[in-house]
Structure formats: C-alpha cells, structure tokens
Amino acid sequence: MGLKEATGLRVGNVVKIEGTICKVLSQEIRGTGRFGKTVHLKARGLTDGRVIEKSLRVEERVEEVEVRHVELEYLYKDGDQLILMNHETYEQFPVPARAIGRQEILLKENTEVSAIFVGDKPVTIEFPKVVELKVTTAPPGVRGQANTTYKEIELENGLKILAPQFIKEGEIVRVNTEDFSYLDRVTTKSLRTEKFEAD
C-alpha cells in the first residue's frame, strides 16, 4: 500500500514496525514546535500479540500493510496452532495461538471467525468488541449488598469474570473481549435492540 506519514496514522491501521506487522492501538502527537514534535505509537503485533510502543519524528513514514478480512471456520487447536478452514474450498490454515493471546478462550469449535489475511495467509483472528456467553456458575447474591458490589461467576467457556450480585446461573451476559469485563445482562429487550442496530 505504500508509505504513510506518522501523523496520518489512525487507530486500526495496519503497518510494519521494525519488521513486525502491527495494528495501531493509539497514536498521540507529543511535544511542541520549539523542541520538535514526535508521534507516539502504540501497536499490537498481529503475529505474536506483543504490544510495541514507538516514537517517530512527525516527518517519518511507515509502511502501510494491506489486509483483508475473510470469514473462516475455527475447527480445533493442534499443539500451538489454531486450525481454520475456508468453507468454499475446504482449505485449512494454521494460525499461531500466540497471535490470539488470552482471547483464545473465546473461540468455540465449528464457529465462524473473522481472519485477517496478509497476502494469502491468515495472521490472526479479529474478535468482535462484545460477545454473549451463558453463565454456568454463579453464587447466590449477598443480601443487602448494592448492585455495584461484584461477585465472581463462571461462563460456558470456563472464563471467570466479576459481575453484579443479581446475575444468576443460566443467564446470558455480554462481555468486553478486550479486557473480559462484564458489560450487561442480555434481556429480550436488549436482543431486539441489538438486532435493530445491526440492520
């Protein structure tokens, strides 16, 4: 895709930094004209999940990398590789588990995932910002405790998170995939709203 000025980078851009293909997490211009401005970048390596921080001069350019999103089916884990398959061609692709990091717990076998391809190979999986999961274990709420007091619950994939006292087993909750924090409880009303927003 060519070179892009550091000041023109935006969150979500995919670039090559020190030979690593990264997704920009944040971009901040620091300094003043007198001392020289710098662009402070925070980016996540797509192939290893490592967070890189780098300061660039405003006139510096970085190589932008062209990526495409392809819907693939997650089949299973084989050693340290996650195996994905293209429905149309039945071609299988390995993706290193380290590229996914702790979000691997969100993967369910035989479900569709959005893979990020660089060239003809997937380098990582992009997760939605929010997932809905069923509560499998939840201790009873403590009487007299405000709803701002949280308790530990376990979800269908084995993930343990903190949630309000009123959450019960069997309910569906929405979880932030970045930090695994509880967002809210899924009700019939919020399901309808979500469908409406997606249309």
Side-chain angles (χ1 to χ4, degrees):
M1 276 179 87
L3 298 173
K4 191 164 191 161
E5 279 191 7
T7 52
L9 292 174
R10 298 290 173 259
V11 172
N13 285 162
V14 177
V15 295
K16 198 177 267 191
I17 298 174
E18 296 168 0
T20 303
I21 297 170
C22 306
K23 187 174 189 176
V24 176
L25 301 175
S26 68
Q27 181 258 43
E28 184 186 343
I29 297 174
R30 295 180 179 171
T32 61
R34 190 171 154 205
F35 296 107
K37 291 182 181 176
T38 58
V39 177
H40 186 75
L41 281 185
K42 198 172 183 179
R44 178 177 284 121
L46 292 185
T47 54
D48 60 9
R50 196 169 52 95
V51 173
I52 296 169
E53 293 195 43
K54 188 159 179 71
S55 289
L56 304 164
R57 295 187 311 278
V58 287
E59 68 276 7
E60 273 189 83
R61 293 172 176 266
V62 290
E63 185 184 339
E64 199 169 10
V65 178
E66 191 167 350
V67 296
R68 59 192 174 95
H69 291 77
V70 179
E71 293 300 312
L72 299 176
E73 183 181 348
Y74 168 61
L75 296 180
Y76 56 90
K77 185 174 182 178
D78 182 17
D80 59 357
Q81 301 285 315
L82 306 171
I83 309 301
L84 311 177
M85 183 183 75
N86 182 317
H87 279 297
E88 291 164 21
T89 64
Y90 297 103
E91 187 178 0
Q92 293 186 7
F93 302 95
V95 170
R98 71 175 185 276
I100 314 302
R102 62 194 202 119
Q103 289 181 319
E104 185 188 330
I105 197 167
L106 301 172
L107 289 172
K108 286 186 196 173
E109 290 187 2
N110 306 313
T111 56
E112 283 220 339
V113 295
S114 179
I116 297 179
F117 273 68
V118 173
D120 59 356
K121 288 191 342 198
V123 291
T124 192
I125 294 169
E126 186 161 80
F127 289 88
K129 288 192 170 30
V130 175
V131 291
E132 293 179 359
L133 294 163
K134 189 174 186 178
V135 178
T136 53
T137 310
V142 179
R143 280 186 185 274
Q145 288 282 0
N147 284 339
T148 54
T149 308
Y150 280 40
K151 62 183 180 182
E152 188 178 78
I153 62 169
E154 189 170 341
L155 305 174
E156 60 184 285
N157 58 357
L159 181 64
K160 291 179 179 176
I161 64 166
L162 294 174
Q165 297 289 330
F166 58 80
I167 297 297
K168 300 181 185 76
E169 283 179 25
E171 291 185 317
I172 307 287
V173 294
R174 286 157 52 92
V175 176
N176 178 325
T177 59
E178 276 292 310
D179 59 8
F180 297 152
S181 60
Y182 165 87
L183 293 172
D184 58 15
R185 176 171 56 177
V186 175
T187 62
T188 317
K189 183 177 174 221
S190 65
L191 282 170
R192 273 207 308 274
T193 310
E194 198 173 73
K195 185 178 184 306
F196 177 73
E197 285 171 355
D199 287 347

